[in-house]
Amino acid sequence: MPWNEFFKLRRRRNVVGTVTSIASAVLAASLAFNYFANLVIDFNKRVMGVEIQWIYMGAIVLSGFFGWLVGPMFGNQLFKWSIGSRRHAFDKMDDIFLRHVVRNRPDPSRNNVNYNPLSDFYGEKISSIRDYRHWLREGRLFTKKSEKFL
C-alpha cells in the first residue's frame, strides 16, 4: 500500500471515529433523557442535599459523555469493515508509521509551555508525507532549542 493511500485511509478512519462519537453521544443522551422524562419526579425529594432534577440532568450529561467515549470503538469496527481486503495492509502500514513516530519524536521531558512547546507528540496531525517531513523538522528544531537553551 502506498503512503498516500495509507494517509487517506487514516484520515477517513479519524472522520468515521469522530462521526460515530457524535452519533453515539447524541443517542445515549437522548435515550437517557427519554428515560428520565418519563419518570414521575417528586420535587421535594433530595439526594445528599441536591435536588433530584439536578441529579437527573447530571445523569443525562454523563450518559452522553459515556456515549462519546464508546463511539470510536464502533467507528473503528465500521472503518475496518468498510475497507475490506485492504485492512491487513492498512494495519501493517499503521504499525510501521507508528514505529516511525515513536522512533523520531523528541524527548518530552524538555517541554516548556512558554519558551519551547512540544507540538503533536503522537503525530496525530500528520496526514501526508509532506506533513510527516514538517513534523520531523519541528521535532529537530525542538531538540535543538532544548539542548541550546536548557
Side-chain angles (χ1 to χ4, degrees):
M1 172 180 289
W3 284 106
N4 290 331
E5 183 180 352
F6 165 73
F7 283 123
K8 284 180 187 175
L9 287 175
R10 188 169 184 259
R11 194 174 316 122
R12 186 168 139 202
R13 180 184 64 184
N14 292 340
V15 168
V16 168
T18 303
V19 168
T20 55
S21 286
I22 293 169
S24 65
V26 168
L27 179 67
S30 64
L31 288 175
F33 178 78
N34 190 24
Y35 173 75
F36 289 120
N38 290 323
L39 289 179
V40 177
I41 299 174
D42 181 14
F43 288 103
N44 296 327
K45 195 178 207 181
R46 289 179 180 256
V47 177
M48 293 189 299
V50 180
E51 294 176 1
I52 196 74
Q53 65 265 28
W54 291 106
I55 302 288
Y56 289 167
M57 284 189 275
I60 292 169
V61 170
L62 282 176
S63 65
F65 180 70
F66 180 71
W68 175 266
L69 293 178
V70 171
M73 183 175 61
F74 295 119
N76 197 17
Q77 294 302 319
L78 180 67
F79 170 75
K80 285 183 178 182
W81 176 76
S82 70
I83 62 174
S85 63
R86 297 182 295 175
R87 185 173 89 190
H88 297 294
F90 177 79
D91 288 340
K92 185 177 177 183
M93 290 294 285
D94 195 33
D95 186 45
I96 292 169
F97 174 72
L98 292 176
R99 276 190 268 138
H100 278 279
V101 167
V102 168
R103 188 177 62 228
N104 293 314
R105 66 181 166 203
D107 181 22
S109 66
R110 298 178 177 208
N111 185 21
N112 186 335
V113 179
N114 293 329
Y115 302 111
N116 192 18
L118 179 61
S119 63
D120 199 17
F121 181 72
Y122 297 104
E124 295 169 338
K125 297 177 185 173
I126 300 172
S127 62
S128 66
I129 296 173
R130 181 177 176 213
D131 290 342
Y132 177 68
R133 290 179 180 149
H134 179 71
W135 180 81
L136 287 173
R137 283 192 299 273
E138 281 185 351
R140 286 190 208 108
L141 181 64
F142 174 83
T143 304
K144 187 185 287 186
K145 280 184 181 179
S146 63
E147 289 173 354
K148 188 174 183 180
F149 297 112
L150 291 178

